[in-house]
Amino acid sequence: MDYYQIWCNIRDSSKDLEFAENVQKYLGFLQKQGKINGFSISRRKLGFGPNDLGEFNICIKTDDLGQLETAFQQVATRRGEMETLHNAVYIAVKDVKFALYRDFPDPVRLEEE
């Protein structure tokens, strides 16, 4: 499993519930289409965590980079409902950072004999 991690702050903290709802709609749309396996959104608790990582963390779960690329290609069309859902999230965020993680050890990794 690959995990596309996104950390961000939001431009208007009074719209935190709206932001979370928009993330749910956007990524839920991708999940229903089979473009991603799942996702989660979490928020820093009690201010604990590095300041350079945002207050919010979004984790997108995919089988592999191929599935992630397919999701990116869909979003990149910037058309129809997909663009409306993406834009509602995109305009709300600032200070965005990204990372890609994987389950470890990799299922294909061989142990030394």
Side-chain angles (χ1 to χ4, degrees), residues 56-76:
F56 289 89
N57 173 248
I58 300 165
C59 178
I60 300 171
K61 301 166 189 167
T62 62
D63 287 329
D64 53 31
L65 288 174
Q67 186 182 23
L68 185 61
E69 179 60 25
T70 300
F72 278 136
Q73 288 175 5
Q74 166 119 13
V75 173

Side-chain angles (χ1 to χ4, degrees), residues 28-37 63 67 70-71:
F29 185 79
L30 286 171
Q31 185 176 11
K32 285 178 192 169
Q33 294 183 333
K35 305 295 183 190
I36 63 173
N37 291 351
D63 287 329
Q67 186 182 23
T70 300

Side-chain angles (χ1 to χ4, degrees), residues 1-105:
M1 181 84 44
D2 284 347
Y3 305 92
Y4 185 57
Q5 298 282 348
I6 304 165
W7 294 273
C8 65
N9 291 309
I10 57 175
R11 295 182 188 282
D12 183 349
S13 62
S14 71
K15 296 184 178 185
D16 53 355
L17 293 177
E18 180 181 331
F19 171 70
E21 182 180 331
N22 287 336
V23 170
Q24 294 281 340
K25 288 178 184 176
Y26 169 47
L27 296 179
F29 185 79
L30 286 171
Q31 185 176 11
K32 285 178 192 169
Q33 294 183 333
K35 305 295 183 190
I36 63 173
N37 291 351
F39 64 92
S40 63
I41 180 171
S42 54
R43 188 175 194 176
R44 183 181 297 158
K45 188 169 186 173
L46 301 173
F48 292 128
N51 285 336
D52 58 331
L53 292 182
E55 183 175 0
F56 289 89
N57 173 248
I58 300 165
C59 178
I60 300 171
K61 301 166 189 167
T62 62
D63 287 329
D64 53 31
L65 288 174
Q67 186 182 23
L68 185 61
E69 179 60 25
T70 300
F72 278 136
Q73 288 175 5
Q74 166 119 13
V75 173
T77 64
R78 301 194 68 150
R79 293 191 179 164
E81 186 176 1
M82 179 84 277
E83 177 59 13
T84 301
L85 294 169
H86 174 260
N87 191 55
V89 174
Y90 181 78
I91 64 170
V93 298
K94 64 180 185 176
D95 309 322
V96 183
K97 294 187 175 34
F98 305 93
L100 185 62
Y101 285 76
R102 69 185 192 279
D103 284 333
F104 189 83

